[in-house]
């Protein structure tokens, strides 16, 4: 048997070691497999192993019953649509509620800072309840949690329409609706990860496009509802719209394991599941990603908050200043699916972590250049480039996290990451506001935001290059193993082994290009 050298995306110092059993009735001892030739006999094995490592960055773990393969289509398109709607509500709703702020200020005799706490609490619940959502999903499953979340979100807005004080609005619109949206957002991403494998980058990009699409739709809708029915009627109708989250939850059909034939032995058992898997912190790739994401969030949301005020400070009329956010959102709508499609290309996908790092660098650089704008035209150009980079970040952030930890640990990993980002969300915009109050110079705010996002890009790429790509020297022992020529290879057995291979020394084995 002849052997071809390993492909370029695998480190030559650590070739892939496949362990396979020979046949069904008379199983042979597991034996190490080297790289097979491109013959018809072993081509399926090589393609399945290559695809698995490319998708999960070496951490190929299945969250459902063993033996299930992501359909990459079929009912997955319904899952994608549900995730699109849930993402739209989750990210756009806290911003769309701000349309009612002036009416609330007049109703309760309060200031803007008091009403702004409604959106802040919504975002804090969306991010800060990540671990709670992880525990619920691991205990009850995605569909029941999402159904409960949809009811909570709707109940919060309906109850808010009867509130008589701002404190009651904090509890209903902020806490109840925010918790309901959180219980929908995280499980929808988990289901998307289970249904898509090869097409997952594109699916993530399309689902992330729900955020700008819903923002463009909900803000004008909220204004129309307020004009015709007042803020109470508007809240009541929005509460009814949030019941669509329950419809999306009903779409989240779990993947079922294939039925076993009578002679194939007992059905494979799913490994025991933890309510919150803290072992992800032993994965250096996850730690570096969490650190970089937390730093990024410090500055990521600052420019959209201040760009309209920046334009007004330059003497731009209010209508033209508000149009800047429309430009940003319109560009974002197309940037997210485009970034997902590009990331899904076979030659690009192994380098998704570097593409994500480039997106953060691009976003930070756009902030720094935006600080030099001295007229409306300069701010329009800034919003175009910021929208492109912002869309790339939105499309890639969860795709890269999925590639780091795999399917089994994703439900816990995303909850922990969102909790860390919640802290940064509460620090970032207020720190920019304090800097503005102290200096009264918008350029400094944009420079601070750009520096924070640039720092996160450097943390990700340098951490990946120096901390993760290093290999233990003992790995070269694998090169001495060659497969016996009489072993018949079954690609399904190899895929099953990759999904059940234990972690080594508490760390996940990574390939170099997708090592984070």
């Amino acid at each position: 048997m002849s052997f071809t050298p390993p492909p370029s995306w695998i480190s030559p110092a650590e070739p892939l070691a496949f362990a396979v059993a020979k046949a069904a009735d008379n199983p042979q001892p597991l034996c190490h497999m080297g790289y097979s030739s491109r013959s018809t006999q072993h081509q399926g094995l090589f393609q399945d192993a290559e695809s698995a490592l490319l998708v999960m960055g070496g951490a190929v773990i299945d969250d459902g019953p063993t033996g299930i393969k992501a359909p990459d289509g079929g009912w997955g398109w319904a899952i994608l649509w549900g995730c699109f709607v849930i993402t739209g509500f989750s990210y756009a709703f806290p911003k769309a509620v701000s349309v009612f702020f002036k009416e609330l200020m007049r109703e309760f005799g309060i200031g803007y800072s008091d009403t702004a706490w409604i959106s802040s609490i919504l975002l804090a619940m969306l991010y800060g309840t990540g671990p709670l959502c992880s525990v619920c999903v691991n205990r009850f499953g995605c569909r029941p949690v999402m159904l409960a979340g949809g009811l909570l979100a709707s109940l919060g807005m309906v109850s808010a329409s009867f509130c008589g004080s701002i404190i009651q609005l904090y509890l209903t619109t902020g806490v109840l609706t925010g918790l309901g949206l959180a219980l929908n957002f995280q499980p929808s991403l988990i289901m998307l990860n289970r249904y898509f494998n090869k097409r997952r980058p594109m699916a993530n990009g399309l689902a992330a496009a729900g955020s700008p699409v819903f923002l463009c739709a909900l803000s004008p809708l909220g204004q129309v509802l307020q004009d015709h029915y007042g803020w109470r009627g508007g809240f009541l109708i929005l509460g009814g719209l949030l019941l669509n989250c329950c419809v999306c939850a009903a779409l989240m059909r779990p993947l079922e394991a294939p039925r076993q034939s009578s002679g194939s032995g007992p059905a494979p058992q799913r490994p025991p599941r933890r309510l919150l898997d803290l072992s992800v912190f032993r994965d250096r790739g996850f730690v570096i990603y969490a650190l970089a994401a937390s730093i990024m969030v410090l500055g990521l949301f600052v420019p959209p908050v201040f760009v309209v005020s920046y334009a007004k400070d330059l003497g731009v009329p209010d209508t033209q200043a508000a149009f800047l956010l429309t430009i940003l959102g319109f560009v974002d709508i197309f940037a997210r699916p485009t970034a997902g499609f590009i990331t899904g290309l076979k030659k690009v996908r192994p380098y998704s972590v570097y593409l994500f790092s480039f997106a953060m660098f691009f976003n930070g650089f756009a902030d720094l250049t935006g600080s030099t704008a001295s007229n409306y035209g300069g701010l329009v150009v800034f919003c175009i480039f910021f929208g492109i980079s912002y869309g790339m970040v939105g499309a890639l952030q969860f795709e890269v996290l999925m590639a780091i930890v795999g399917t089994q640990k994703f439900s816990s990993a995303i909850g922990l990451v969102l909790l860390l980002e919640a802290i940064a969300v509460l620090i970032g915009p207020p720190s920019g506001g304090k800097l503005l109050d102290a200096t009264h110079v918008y350029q400094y705010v944009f420079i601070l935001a750009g520096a924070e996002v640039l720092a996160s890009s450097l943390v990700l790429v340098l951490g990946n290059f120096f901390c993760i790509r290093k290999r233990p020297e003992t790995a070269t022992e694998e090169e001495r193993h060659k497969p016996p020529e009489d072993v018949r290879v079954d690609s399904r057995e190899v895929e099953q082994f990759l999904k059940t291979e234990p972690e080594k020394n508490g760390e996940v084995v990574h390939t170099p290009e997708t090592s984070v």
Side-chain angles (χ1 to χ4, degrees):
M1 180 185 294
S2 61
F3 293 87
T4 58
S8 59
W9 52 270
I10 296 181
S11 172
E14 185 178 345
L16 181 64
F18 296 141
V20 294
K22 183 176 179 181
D25 296 330
N26 299 304
Q28 299 292 330
L30 295 178
C31 54
H32 291 282
M33 285 293 296
Y35 296 102
S36 65
S37 66
R38 293 289 182 174
S39 62
T40 306
Q41 181 180 6
H42 298 112
Q43 189 172 4
L45 160 67
F46 187 88
Q47 290 177 346
D48 282 354
E50 180 178 5
S51 174
L53 285 172
L54 282 173
V55 170
M56 291 300 183
V60 186
I61 308 172
D62 193 359
D63 194 23
T66 56
I68 295 182
K69 190 174 182 179
D72 278 306
W75 192 255
W77 299 117
I79 301 293
L80 174 59
W81 171 251
C83 193
F84 175 88
V85 175
I86 294 297
T87 302
F89 275 126
S90 300
Y91 278 114
F93 208 81
K95 303 169 187 175
V97 171
S98 63
V99 172
F100 300 92
F101 282 179
K102 287 188 177 180
E103 190 72 19
L104 294 175
M105 292 165 60
R106 187 180 303 111
E107 174 85 11
F108 299 112
I110 55 179
Y112 185 85
S113 60
D114 294 325
T115 55
W117 271 103
I118 297 175
S119 295
S120 297
I121 295 174
L122 269 169
L123 287 173
M125 294 298 295
L126 180 63
Y127 282 90
T129 57
L132 174 63
C133 296
S134 297
V135 170
C136 292
V137 168
N138 290 335
R139 177 64 178 85
F140 303 106
C142 291
R143 180 187 280 177
V145 172
M146 292 181 66
L147 285 171
L151 291 175
L152 274 178
S154 177
L155 177 63
M157 292 302 294
V158 172
S159 301
S161 64
F162 299 98
C163 288
S165 69
I166 191 65
I167 300 298
Q168 294 175 357
L169 283 176
Y170 293 161
L171 296 176
T172 53
T173 305
V175 176
L176 278 182
T177 301
L179 178 59
L181 291 175
L183 291 175
N184 275 273
F185 175 62
Q186 188 170 319
S188 68
L189 289 178
I190 295 171
M191 290 299 297
L192 189 71
N193 181 36
R194 293 177 184 174
Y195 267 84
F196 286 90
N197 187 336
K198 294 181 180 179
R199 296 176 176 175
R200 195 181 64 209
M202 180 189 67
N204 271 300
L206 291 173
S211 174
V213 169
F214 271 62
L215 182 59
C216 293
L218 286 179
S219 294
L221 175 63
Q223 188 63 53
V224 171
L225 292 177
Q226 179 178 276
D227 294 341
H228 286 78
Y229 306 105
W231 73 268
R232 295 185 185 274
F235 275 30
L236 186 64
I237 294 174
L238 289 177
L241 288 178
L242 285 176
L243 285 175
N244 285 289
C245 294
C246 295
V247 178
C248 296
L251 296 175
M252 303 297 165
R253 185 171 65 194
L255 286 171
E256 296 181 358
R259 295 182 179 181
Q260 300 290 327
S261 60
S262 57
S264 60
Q269 299 294 324
R270 183 165 55 184
R273 180 185 299 178
R274 302 176 184 177
L275 292 182
L276 187 62
D277 192 353
L278 298 178
S279 66
V280 292
F281 284 107
R282 296 202 300 267
D283 181 2
R284 288 176 293 179
F286 172 78
V287 173
I288 292 173
Y289 175 89
L291 177 61
S294 300
I295 298 174
M296 175 190 70
V297 171
L298 284 173
L300 184 64
F301 301 122
V302 172
V305 173
F306 292 98
V307 66
V308 175
S309 299
Y310 186 11
K312 293 179 180 179
D313 189 63
L314 294 176
V316 178
D318 292 355
T319 305
Q320 292 184 353
F323 188 68
L324 291 172
L325 289 180
T326 304
I327 296 173
L328 193 156
F330 183 78
V331 174
D332 192 8
I333 290 174
F334 295 96
R336 296 192 183 217
T338 302
F341 175 78
I342 294 175
T343 307
L345 297 177
K346 184 178 295 186
K347 293 183 179 180
V348 178
R349 193 169 187 182
Y351 304 94
S352 60
V353 63
Y354 295 111
L355 185 60
F356 182 46
S357 180
F358 169 75
M360 291 191 293
F361 181 87
F362 186 13
N363 186 269
F365 184 76
D367 293 342
L368 296 180
T369 55
S371 66
T372 64
S374 58
N375 52 46
Y376 184 72
L379 289 178
V380 169
V381 173
F382 160 73
C383 287
I384 292 174
F385 284 98
F386 183 86
I388 295 173
S389 60
Y390 189 78
M392 292 175 65
V393 171
L396 294 175
Q397 57 179 341
F398 296 118
E399 164 62 25
V400 172
L401 180 60
M402 290 175 186
I404 294 170
V405 298
T407 311
Q408 182 182 4
K409 295 184 179 181
F410 180 71
S411 60
S412 297
I414 187 176
L416 295 170
V417 166
L418 289 176
L419 177 60
L420 295 175
E421 290 184 351
I423 301 173
V425 165
L426 293 177
I427 296 175
S431 63
K434 287 188 176 181
L435 179 62
L436 182 60
D437 292 336
T439 63
H440 301 285
V441 179
Y442 282 92
Q443 286 85 347
Y444 293 160
V445 176
F446 280 67
I447 291 174
L448 175 62
E452 290 167 342
V453 180
L454 284 177
S456 67
S457 173
L458 294 177
V459 168
L460 184 62
V461 70
L462 295 179
N464 177 69
F465 188 81
F466 290 107
C467 299
I468 308 300
R469 292 189 60 178
K470 293 181 180 179
R471 304 289 180 179
E473 296 180 357
T474 55
T476 56
E477 295 291 332
E478 301 277 349
E479 295 180 352
R480 302 195 186 113
H481 294 280
K482 300 246 183 178
E485 295 186 8
D486 58 342
V487 175
R488 297 180 60 188
V489 180
D490 185 354
S491 61
R492 294 183 62 183
E493 293 179 6
V494 174
E495 180 182 4
Q496 177 62 29
F497 171 75
L498 288 173
K499 292 181 177 181
T500 57
E501 184 180 13
E503 297 176 354
K504 301 177 181 180
N505 298 325
E507 294 180 2
V508 180
V509 180
H510 300 277
T511 59
E513 284 78 12
T514 57
S515 52
V516 169

